[in-house]
């Protein structure tokens, strides 16, 4: 979908700037996640600590974008697609901020205790990490392109992430049953896997906001078939 | 930047693409039904093209669209105000509770008692506040005696939210009131003859925000007793006060929908462009 100029160029500019800031925030969150995962898998405690330290940057951007949105609502009274864009932004940045928090958690664990991870667990986690990183990248891509079909495809990949989380969870339970001395580290790994799984859920939310933005329908708590029908039945509108 | 000709051509191109009204133009139990309404000025120039629209009971319907889109012309069809324009011709069916309002037997004066109108600029008669409101009831013989007339005047002024402000000076000239008060006086004058429908043509465009808010509050109250059609250039006003919104473009009715839908997720590209300010 293409969003083109308003009669008021200043208004178009304000919306564009805010959208760009969301993408910047997305880029920063993506970087935080990659670094957190790298720190975890490569047992780089210094990098993990750095991720935890840098979370404030994500929070700062969230506050700034929220302020921009409030300003646009107050001054421009956006309607229709502009209103949906502002709502989608306000909601998406909350999810992005939470993804940042999850990355911070992983970073903190990597800084404190990742040296106890054994090779099998690293392998299992690596799969999950790769999937989540790709999902976040694709989510941001769908948001940048304002592409609801892409968003739908991305949201569907969440199921695979949930399954991978369950597999790791089962593996860890076995490990804990085998030897209670594993419990402490296993639980930490569960928290990390859980954080990754939650990131998948936040990506899903952002994808839902993209579909709302493009198709004008709130598809939260709606079945997959219904969502597909909504996307297929809404004409793609080009704003000229 | 497009020059005026290119812009006009662009609009004509868009206009040709409007084949039918999208949204919900029809209602089950309509107060007003209009079908195939066309309006021509001075013979050749067509101002309205094939408008089909139902207007519901006790609803506020807002008509929006750029200047020259025909929204005021359409509004004026609803109480035959276009009769007063020489060479204006209205075709199609306009039914008020099933009655053809363009029937030859119908007296337009009686129609206008049922379908009242409030204009953009407050236009009180150069008479006292009392006489402004009493004018219609006197003309139509609605009061048998002075005390009945007093009652009608008081009730109309009360409904228009003006009585307390003017009760001590009912004999002062209506033109001495502030703009917002004058407009409420005109509304009182309109409702004094107990109309069923009130047409409002940009009723607050000459008023300040406080007077505007008072009139909007009044419209919400009046909706309990009347059907209200309002033409407005303020999209925020349409969003605030109406239940349904109709978007006109170059004489065609592009979209009619619940106001909530129009302002969050309009169906037609032209509506979207207009309400988001991507037009012209």
């Amino acid at each position: 979908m293409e969003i083109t100029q308003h009669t008021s160029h200043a208004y178009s500019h304000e919306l564009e700037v805010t959208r760009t800031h969301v993408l910047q925030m997305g880029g920063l969150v993506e970087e935080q996640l990659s670094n957190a995962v790298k720190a975890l898998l490569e047992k780089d405690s210094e990098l993990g600590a750095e991720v935890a330290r840098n979370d404030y940057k994500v929070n700062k951007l969230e506050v700034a974008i929220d302020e921009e949105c409030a300003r646009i609502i107050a001054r421009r009274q956006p309607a229709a697609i502009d209103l949906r864009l502002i709502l989608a932004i306000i909601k998406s940045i909350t999810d992005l901020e939470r993804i940042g928090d999850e990355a911070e958690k992983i970073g903190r664990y990597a800084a404190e205790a990742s040296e106890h991870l054994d090779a099998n667990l690293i392998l299992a986690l690596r799969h999950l990490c790769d999937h989540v990183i790709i999902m976040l990248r694709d989510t941001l891509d769908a948001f940048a392109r304002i592409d609801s079909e892409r968003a739908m495809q991305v949201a569907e990949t969440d199921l695979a992430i949930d399954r991978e989380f369950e597999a790791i969870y089962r593996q860890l339970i076995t490990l804990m049953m085998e030897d209670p001395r594993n419990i402490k580290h296993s639980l930490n790994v569960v928290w990390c896997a859980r954080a990754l799984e939650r990131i998948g859920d936040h990506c899903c939310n952002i994808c839902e906001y993209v579909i709302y933005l493009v198709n004008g329908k709130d598809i939260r708590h709606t079945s997959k078939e219904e969502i597909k029908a909504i996307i297929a039945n809404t004409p793609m509108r080009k704003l000229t | 930047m497009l020059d005026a000709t290119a812009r006009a051509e662009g609009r004509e191109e868009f206009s040709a693409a409007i084949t039918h009204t999208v949204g919900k133009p029809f209602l089950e139990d309509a107060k007003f039904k209009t079908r195939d309404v066309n309006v021509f000025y001075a013979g050749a120039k067509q101002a309205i093209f094939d408008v089909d629209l139902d207007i519901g009971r006790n609803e506020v319907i807002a008509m929006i669209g750029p200047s020259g889109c025909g929204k005021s012309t359409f509004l004026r069809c609803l109480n035959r105000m276009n009769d007063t324009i020489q060479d204006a011709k209205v075709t199609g069916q306009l039914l008020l509770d099933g009655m053809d309002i363009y029937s030859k037997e119908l007296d337009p004066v009686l129609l206008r008692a049922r379908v009242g109108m409030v204009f953009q600029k407050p236009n009180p008669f150069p008479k006292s506040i009392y006489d402004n409101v009493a004018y219609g009831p006197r003309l139509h013989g609605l009061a048998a005696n002075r005390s009945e007339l007093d009652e009608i005047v008081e009730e109309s002024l009360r409904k228009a939210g003006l009585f307390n402000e003017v009760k001590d000076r009912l004999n002062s000239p209506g033109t001495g009131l502030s703009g917002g008060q004058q407009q409420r006086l005109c509304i009182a004058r309109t409702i004094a003859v107990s109309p069923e429908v009130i047409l409002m043509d940009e009723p607050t465009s000459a008023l300040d925000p406080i007077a505007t808010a008072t009139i909007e509050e009044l419209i919400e109250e009046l909706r309990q007793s009347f059907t209200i059609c309002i033409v407005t250039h303020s999209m925020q006003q349409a969003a605030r006060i109406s239940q349904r919104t109709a978007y006109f473009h170059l004489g065609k009715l592009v979209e009619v929908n619940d106001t909530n839908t129009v302002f969050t997720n309009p169906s037609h590209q032209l509506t979207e462009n207009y309400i988001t300010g991507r037009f012209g």
Side-chain angles (χ1 to χ4, degrees), chain A residues 92-103:
Chain A
S92 296
I93 58 171
T94 306
D95 281 291
L96 283 176
E97 192 272 331
R98 289 190 186 153
I99 294 175
D101 288 348
E102 302 294 354

Side-chain angles (χ1 to χ4, degrees), chain B residues 42-73:
Chain B
K45 192 187 173 302
Q46 189 165 357
I48 302 270
F49 298 81
D50 305 321
V51 170
D52 293 336
L53 176 66
D54 285 352
I55 296 166
R57 291 169 203 284
N58 301 99
E59 81 167 351
V60 179
I61 181 165
M63 301 186 186
I64 58 170
S67 293
C69 70
K71 55 193 189 298
S72 290
T73 302

Side-chain angles (χ1 to χ4, degrees), chain A residues 3-7 11 77 79-84 215-216 237-240, chain B residues 1 14 236 262-269 272-273 275-280:
Chain A
I3 297 181
T4 48
Q5 290 281 316
H6 294 81
T7 309
Y11 182 17
Q77 291 100 42
I81 187 148
D82 300 331
L83 175 67
R84 302 203 302 272
N215 302 81
R237 288 202 296 274
K238 200 175 168 193
L239 297 172
T240 50
Chain B
M1 199 62 147
F14 268 138
Q236 276 73 42
V262 169
F263 285 91
T264 55
N265 187 20
S267 304
H268 202 288
Q269 182 70 62
E272 177 107 36
N273 289 357
I275 64 163
T276 55
R278 290 179 172 86
F279 189 83

Side-chain angles (χ1 to χ4, degrees), chain B residues 185-231:
Chain B
L185 178 62
C186 293
I187 292 174
R189 188 178 64 190
T190 305
I191 58 186
V193 292
S194 307
E196 295 153 45
V197 181
I198 302 176
L199 310 177
M200 298 187 170
D201 195 351
E202 296 179 45
T204 61
S205 59
L207 305 181
D208 74 8
I210 297 167
T212 299
T214 313
I215 301 272
E216 287 179 1
E217 179 65 19
L218 175 61
I219 289 172
E220 178 58 31
E221 279 166 30
L222 294 176
R223 182 166 79 86
Q224 313 305 324
S225 328
F226 310 99
T227 293
I228 296 168
C229 309
I230 178 166
V231 162

